[in-house]
Amino acid sequence: VSIAGARLRQGANMVQIPLMGSSYNLEDLHPDLSGRNSINDMVRRASTIAEEQGPSGEKPSGAFLPAACLSVALGVFSVVPYNMVLQGDPGSPLFISFVLHLVVITMMLPRVPSIIRNRKFPLRYHAGMVFFSSMFTVLKSDAFVRLPPSMCLLLSNLQMMVGVAVQYVLFRKTYSFQQLAGVAIVTVGIAWAGNSIQRAKAQQEAGVLTATAALTGAAEMLGSSLCISLLSTLIKMANSTYGESVEEQMFMQHLLTIPVVFPSNWSKVGPRAAAWWSAQNHWLFLNLAGNVVASFAARKASAAMTARSPSLLMTQLVQTMESFLQLLLTAMLRVPPWPPLGFWGGAGVLVAGTLQYLRASDSSSGKTS
């Protein structure tokens, strides 16, 4: 983890991105002076906050809530064919990612002249997005090979805890006791559910999941959560400063990630493509196509959601909700056997922690580091 942290710091210094500074107002949900601080009131208020304007005075196009709902729905749906592919070939996450990158680039080729002609983001922002996206792809793909998909999805909910740390380190953002309590409750829920799944898995398949694989996979999921939090922060900063440009961000990010990630990992991609072609497993190809189409749409909706989000906290809450729903769907796809009671108990605690974090007021008198 320390090595990954050092590489992230080197990457940020290399591309010279001004991550710190008072010009970026990434505030959380603020309590309403009228006292209306229920969950519905806070979500409604957060989604109607005036969006930050770019230097030309333009606002991000479209509304946040529709983009958030679409992002969650497509992201959850993409889990179904993804799990089907993993059941047929457990070592294929990086190959799936490679195919997805190629499809994204191919689908956007007709728009390339317009994207290049109307480019908004400086190259240093694109370099930062590619770096964090590449690290996220490598770490998450390897974690899905080492750990059961349900455990990976559970660990992805650590993004709330990671997001709190990122905002404090980069922006010296402090949080109230209620908010930190929500993060702690989420962490307890993840640990409880994850421990239950690991025990059940050990009883069914003794020796399959070793302690080394579990620790390595957990560290990789933590690193991927850090990368996606930094990527979301950078996307939010770029769109707030230069105006929304979803297609430019997606095309440049996927195009430049290919030469960074896949040549050094070609042994996990090339032979697998040849093996699939030789086996002529049409069911695998069908599920791969379904996952790629759903993931392409989900990534586009997620990019729009991140660009239009009124705060980094709202982005993290949407991503956490998506991960939780993916977790539930994955658990249901693999029955029987049903997940153990500890899994459902931990999932319930996770939901309670998320709601606690959303309810928490972030008034200046209640903030604490």
Side-chain angles (χ1 to χ4, degrees):
V1 176
S2 60
I3 295 175
R7 289 182 177 178
L8 289 173
R9 288 192 296 271
Q10 291 173 0
N13 293 334
M14 175 185 68
V15 297
Q16 298 180 344
I17 297 172
L19 290 177
M20 301 179 67
S22 59
S23 59
Y24 301 104
N25 184 24
L26 298 176
E27 293 300 322
D28 291 340
L29 305 177
H30 294 285
D32 192 354
L33 296 179
S34 65
R36 294 179 298 175
N37 291 317
S38 67
I39 296 298
N40 291 336
D41 291 331
M42 294 185 71
V43 171
R44 187 182 306 110
R45 186 163 64 250
S47 62
T48 54
I49 295 176
E51 303 283 357
E52 293 130 313
Q53 295 183 357
S56 60
E58 59 180 318
K59 294 183 180 180
S61 58
F64 166 70
L65 279 180
C69 293
L70 186 61
S71 174
V72 170
L74 292 171
V76 172
F77 174 75
S78 68
V79 166
V80 177
Y82 188 79
N83 273 272
M84 296 297 181
V85 174
L86 291 185
Q87 287 180 3
D89 185 358
S92 60
L94 201 61
F95 173 64
I96 298 173
S97 179
F98 176 71
V99 175
L100 176 60
H101 279 71
L102 290 182
V103 170
V104 170
I105 295 170
T106 302
M107 294 288 289
M108 302 188 73
L109 280 178
R111 297 279 298 159
V112 169
S114 175
I115 291 173
I116 295 178
R117 197 166 48 245
N118 302 315
R119 183 171 65 86
K120 294 182 179 181
F121 301 159
L123 290 178
R124 66 179 182 274
Y125 277 86
H126 287 299
M129 293 176 192
V130 169
F131 176 78
F132 293 130
S133 176
S134 300
M135 292 289 291
F136 170 77
T137 299
V138 172
L139 292 173
K140 185 177 179 180
S141 296
D142 196 61
F144 265 83
V145 173
R146 297 176 185 274
L147 301 176
S150 55
M151 186 177 292
C152 289
L153 292 173
L154 264 174
L155 292 171
S156 66
N157 286 282
L158 286 172
Q159 189 171 332
M160 288 184 66
M161 181 183 69
V162 173
V164 168
V166 167
Q167 291 191 65
Y168 176 75
V169 172
L170 297 183
F171 305 105
R172 288 296 181 263
K173 177 80 176 157
T174 56
Y175 292 87
S176 66
F177 173 79
Q178 291 83 0
Q179 285 178 306
L180 295 179
V183 173
I185 293 172
V186 167
T187 304
V188 169
I190 292 170
W192 184 9
N195 183 61
S196 298
I197 288 181
Q198 185 173 356
R199 285 187 175 183
K201 198 75 175 177
Q203 292 174 358
Q204 296 170 14
E205 304 174 16
V208 171
L209 183 61
T210 64
T212 301
L215 290 175
T216 303
E220 288 174 332
M221 286 304 300
L222 181 61
S224 69
S225 293
L226 175 60
C227 291
I228 198 66
S229 293
L230 292 171
L231 178 62
S232 297
T233 301
L234 190 56
I235 292 173
K236 178 64 179 173
M237 290 165 55
N239 283 277
S240 298
T241 305
Y242 302 101
E244 181 180 331
S245 186
V246 173
E247 289 187 337
E248 175 190 343
Q249 177 234 317
M250 284 192 63
F251 178 77
M252 297 292 288
Q253 179 178 316
H254 287 81
L255 176 66
L256 299 178
T257 296
I258 287 181
V260 173
V261 172
F262 297 103
S264 60
N265 292 281
W266 191 247
S267 61
K268 302 176 182 178
V269 177
R272 181 155 275 104
W276 279 32
W277 185 259
S278 299
Q280 290 294 302
N281 191 328
H282 301 295
W283 179 244
L284 274 180
F285 281 109
L286 180 63
N287 281 289
L288 175 64
N291 172 255
V292 167
V293 171
S295 297
F296 171 74
R299 289 196 176 192
K300 193 167 184 177
S302 179
M305 180 274 296
T306 303
R308 301 168 189 176
S309 176
S311 69
L312 186 59
L313 173 60
M314 282 302 298
T315 302
Q316 294 167 349
L317 286 173
V318 171
Q319 292 169 343
T320 299
M321 181 58 67
E322 179 182 330
S323 296
F324 176 70
L325 293 176
Q326 288 176 338
L327 169 65
L328 288 180
L329 184 57
T330 299
M332 299 305 295
L333 287 173
R334 294 179 178 268
V335 297
W338 291 88
L341 289 178
F343 168 82
W344 298 107
V349 172
L350 188 151
V351 173
T354 301
L355 294 178
Q356 165 66 20
Y357 192 36
L358 183 58
R359 285 196 189 97
S361 300
D362 194 22
S363 59
S364 57
S365 60
K367 288 185 179 180
T368 179
S369 59

